[in-house]
Amino acid sequence: MRTILIFFCTTALACAQQTPSEFMTAWVEEFNQNDPAAIIAYYDESEDTDCLVSFGLWLKGFEQIKQMYHQDMTACQFYDSKAEEMTHRL
């Protein structure tokens, strides 16, 4: 099964410290730990933060993003996601 992460908004500090490829690889490694708090830390805690999920769900605001990760990671566990052939636009 392939999951595609279309895009997500991050804090400026994280972007400044890593290349986009390094950032994506770190995000996937955290995702595989099934720890919603670790993943949520990648997002800016603002109501202006949006996240477009690969199946078309558009989350608007940090609270919706936080709720989605808590619900999803409670319902199922991820263990072997990989960041392959990454592309990015800034």
Side-chain angles (χ1 to χ4, degrees), residues 46-61:
S46 165
E47 289 311 305
D48 294 330
T49 301
D50 286 4
C51 179
L52 180 60
V53 183
S54 60
F55 55 86
L57 177 63
W58 191 336
L59 303 168
K60 297 185 180 203

Side-chain angles (χ1 to χ4, degrees), residues 10-20 22-23 90:
T10 64
T11 64
L13 178 60
C15 290
Q17 294 176 345
Q18 297 172 307
T19 68
E22 291 169 337
F23 181 87
L90 299 176

Side-chain angles (χ1 to χ4, degrees), residues 6 8 13 16 18-19 28 34-36 50 58 67 72 81:
I6 294 177
F8 52 101
L13 178 60
Q18 297 172 307
T19 68
V28 169
N34 299 294
D35 180 2
D50 286 4
W58 191 336
Q67 182 181 23
D72 284 1
S81 301

Side-chain angles (χ1 to χ4, degrees), residues 33-85:
Q33 298 301 313
N34 299 294
D35 180 2
I39 288 297
I40 293 165
Y42 281 82
Y43 295 83
D44 185 36
E45 293 186 28
S46 165
E47 289 311 305
D48 294 330
T49 301
D50 286 4
C51 179
L52 180 60
V53 183
S54 60
F55 55 86
L57 177 63
W58 191 336
L59 303 168
K60 297 185 180 203
F62 179 76
E63 288 303 316
Q64 280 189 356
I65 295 168
K66 180 179 172 180
Q67 182 181 23
M68 187 268 308
Y69 279 115
H70 277 285
Q71 288 174 346
D72 284 1
M73 291 186 166
T74 299
C76 57
Q77 298 289 295
F78 303 93
Y79 59 91
D80 194 24
S81 301
K82 292 181 176 61
E84 298 178 350
E85 300 178 33

